[in-house]
Amino acid sequence: MISREPTLERLAIAQHLLLEPFGLDESHLTRALNEIKAHKVDDADLYFQYTRSEGWSLEEGIVKTGSFSIDQGVGVRAVSGEKTAFAYSDDISEASLLDAARTVRSISGVAGTGRVRVAPKKIAKSRSLYPELDPIASLDSNAKVALLGQVEARARAKDPRVAQVMAGLAAEYDVVLVARADGTLAADVRPLVRLSVTVIAEQNGRREVGSAGGGGRFGLAYFDDALIGQYVDDAVRQALVNLESRPAPAGEMTVVLGSGWPGILLHEAIGHGLEGDFNRKGSSAFTGKIGKRVAAKGVTVLDDGTIADRRGSLNVDDEGNASQRNVLIEDGILRGYIQDSMNARLMGVKPTGNGRRESYAHVPMPRMTNTYMLGGDKDPQEIVASIEKGLYATNFGGGQVDITSGKFVFSASEAYWVENGKIQYPVKGATIVGSGPESLKKVTLVGNDMALDPGVGTCGKEGQSVPVGVGQPTLRIEGLTVGGTA
């Protein structure tokens, strides 16, 4: 059997699912793009998508719900200056394509010369970061139910205080095809899976929650016995720790953030402020600061969509650009922003592979992929031991950020009060308040334990959600405000 090069293989899969069943081929895409280019527009693209998704959830010892859905359609976009015209349809047909093309080209009232044509076809450069598999088919239904049952049994066996167990298993098979007015043709086949575990523990009438889980771009076989055991252990441990928690002290203090998932604070408080659209419009706290110091020495922040199998990674972005490893802040100096095609053109720079959209029914915009801070040279235990009085936060729940000011509010789901370098007790109700740009300048110690999150992140922006990754080493930050309950 002769196998095709991965980029061509993905293109063949996309054409098989998204064009051939509807009597379409590349000539129809060219015709639709030519219809748009009959008016003077700066850019245009077609975005086809086929998504099959499945979910299972367990509660009270039984699998209570299961879901399965298929969605497919095409989004048609024209860009003129800063303006975007967009139309979409779940009817993939030549008539729908041409109708949408004639609709969006009206963004420009200036007719072209009549001889403008889409550039010759060119296959977009792409990466091979994950397999072209359908994760839904990687495990049969009985095995999926048994996996969730295993989570339930293990959690209850861990401790008699475990009162309730909830678990969810999700899988998605996503195939996209992008055709651009510059002749670019790109495709991607994106598997995505996730297992989540939530445990409620009860003691003396008090109930507390712990959660864990993970996933990425691979099949369901990734969740083997060892990993399921790890998720269960983490969720149960967190719930039991919280049973012993006391009200969190409040005030301005030293805060140490643990490695891995606490990078969600970095993502929200700093990452969004480095997206190109906010900076082009002048609404980010980082606008106009490229080449200037925006963080303490030793702070290096990247957005990297090229990490194999990661939830936030992409072979190509949703505009057909290959994903990249982008250094945003280097040793405290701002080096660049993350860009989609439109904002890159308007700002006179190149796209960075960060044009992302939730689905064919949404327009692309600059979005993060896997955003993380590089590690330093300090031992994490040494960093915790350096706290005279302060908070050590190892896990976070929800949070909010104001992009313009960079101010954020985050709730710690697992945190500890530390005095004289010793962990005293777990705390509950700790809310960390600060400014992203100012917090970066207050980083005094950077651990050597950089870790990425286990694969659970979803980012929301302007009503669109996309899968992302976060990460960081253990960090000591001075002078953060902690809102507590004590």
Side-chain angles (χ1 to χ4, degrees):
M1 179 179 177
I2 300 175
S3 60
R4 281 177 285 210
E5 190 273 333
T7 299
L8 297 179
E9 177 65 24
R10 290 190 290 269
L11 188 58
I13 292 171
Q15 291 173 329
H16 175 69
L17 279 173
L18 291 162
L19 299 184
E20 293 170 9
F22 311 102
L24 300 177
D25 57 30
E26 291 175 21
S27 68
H28 295 96
L29 312 189
T30 301
R31 182 181 174 190
L33 290 167
N34 279 332
E35 285 287 342
I36 302 173
K37 294 287 283 186
H39 285 205
K40 285 190 174 181
V41 297
D42 292 308
D43 200 2
D45 60 23
L46 313 175
Y47 182 83
F48 296 83
Q49 183 178 32
Y50 171 91
T51 304
R52 187 163 68 246
S53 57
E54 182 183 84
W56 302 78
S57 64
L58 175 144
E59 192 173 349
E60 298 177 345
I62 59 173
V63 174
K64 281 195 168 183
T65 60
S67 63
F68 180 84
S69 66
I70 296 177
D71 192 18
Q72 61 190 21
V74 59
V76 180
R77 178 178 63 144
V79 180
S80 178
E82 298 184 12
K83 299 181 297 181
T84 296
F86 182 70
Y88 69 91
S89 174
D90 59 4
D91 173 26
I92 301 177
S93 66
E94 182 181 12
S96 291
L97 270 182
L98 295 177
D99 184 51
R102 292 171 186 136
T103 299
V104 301
R105 74 182 183 186
S106 63
I107 194 172
S108 171
V110 181
T113 63
R115 296 191 294 183
V116 176
R117 289 292 179 264
V118 174
K121 169 186 166 182
K122 56 182 178 182
I123 304 298
K125 293 181 180 178
S126 66
R127 304 186 184 278
S128 295
L129 304 173
Y130 34 82
E132 295 96 17
L133 60 79
D134 177 359
I136 296 173
S138 65
L139 211 61
D140 66 36
S141 297
N142 290 333
K144 293 167 187 172
V145 172
L147 188 155
L148 293 175
Q150 183 182 354
V151 170
E152 158 89 10
R154 284 194 174 205
R156 291 194 178 278
K158 287 290 294 183
D159 195 282
R161 289 170 290 181
V162 172
Q164 192 170 346
V165 180
M166 292 158 283
L169 186 66
E172 180 179 281
Y173 179 63
D174 191 35
V175 180
V176 301
L177 176 67
V178 184
R180 297 181 62 90
D182 66 359
T184 297
L185 198 62
D188 203 2
V189 178
R190 301 168 178 168
L192 190 64
V193 299
R194 177 175 173 175
L195 174 63
S196 58
V197 182
T198 300
V199 168
I200 297 176
E202 184 173 5
Q203 179 176 270
N204 300 326
R206 179 176 177 177
R207 296 165 70 90
E208 295 291 348
V209 178
S211 60
R217 297 196 180 280
F218 30 65
L220 290 168
Y222 173 77
F223 301 118
D224 58 18
D225 289 351
L227 193 58
I228 292 170
Q230 178 186 319
Y231 292 161
V232 168
D233 289 351
D234 288 347
V236 172
R237 180 196 56 76
Q238 187 182 123
L240 297 181
V241 164
N242 286 331
L243 279 177
E244 307 300 325
S245 64
R246 308 179 193 177
E252 186 176 292
M253 63 186 72
T254 298
V255 174
V256 170
L257 305 176
S259 65
W261 178 246
I264 187 64
L265 191 150
L266 179 79
H267 167 103
E268 294 288 358
I270 292 108
H272 279 297
L274 297 177
E275 292 171 335
D277 48 354
F278 296 125
N279 288 279
R280 177 178 63 82
K281 297 171 185 176
S283 60
S284 168
F286 293 99
T287 299
K289 294 185 178 180
I290 289 181
K292 298 179 181 179
R293 179 165 295 282
V294 296
K297 288 184 68 64
V299 172
T300 296
V301 178
L302 290 81
D303 184 86
D304 188 354
T306 72
I307 309 173
D309 297 331
R310 294 296 305 177
R311 180 175 171 85
S313 294
L314 301 168
N315 288 319
V316 292
D317 72 2
D318 293 328
E319 296 181 304
N321 297 308
S323 56
Q324 296 182 28
R325 182 181 187 270
N326 299 297
V327 179
L328 306 178
I329 298 172
E330 184 178 25
D331 200 20
I333 306 299
L334 183 60
R335 296 302 185 194
Y337 308 123
I338 59 176
Q339 302 283 6
D340 64 351
S341 295
M342 184 184 81
N343 284 281
R345 174 176 53 81
L346 293 170
M347 296 178 76
V349 296
K350 294 181 178 180
T352 60
N354 291 89
R356 305 190 65 187
R357 54 181 117 196
E358 180 177 322
S359 76
Y360 68 86
H362 300 83
V363 294
M365 63 181 81
R367 303 294 300 272
M368 286 173 274
T369 55
N370 304 298
T371 310
Y372 58 95
M373 183 187 297
L374 293 185
D377 60 358
K378 300 298 182 185
D379 183 277
Q381 293 180 339
E382 177 187 344
I383 296 177
V384 175
S386 72
I387 304 173
E388 185 176 338
K389 278 189 177 182
L391 191 75
Y392 175 38
T394 61
N395 210 343
F396 283 96
Q400 293 180 318
V401 63
D402 182 297
I403 301 299
T404 302
S405 66
K407 292 181 179 179
F408 61 82
V409 179
F410 269 87
S411 300
S413 58
E414 183 178 353
Y416 302 85
W417 180 247
V418 181
E419 288 187 21
N420 300 318
K422 302 291 185 182
I423 293 176
Q424 302 298 311
Y425 50 83
V427 299
K428 183 181 181 181
T431 301
I432 298 176
V433 182
S435 161
E438 291 304 312
S439 298
L440 282 181
K441 298 173 183 176
K442 296 178 179 179
V443 173
T444 55
L445 296 174
V446 181
N448 59 12
D449 59 338
M450 199 290 287
L452 297 171
D453 77 282
V456 296
T458 298
C459 174
K461 177 181 175 182
E462 297 182 19
Q464 294 193 41
S465 296
V466 295
V468 296
V470 301
Q472 68 174 41
T474 298
L475 299 176
R476 173 174 164 149
I477 305 176
E478 307 302 329
L480 287 182
T481 298
V482 175
T485 51

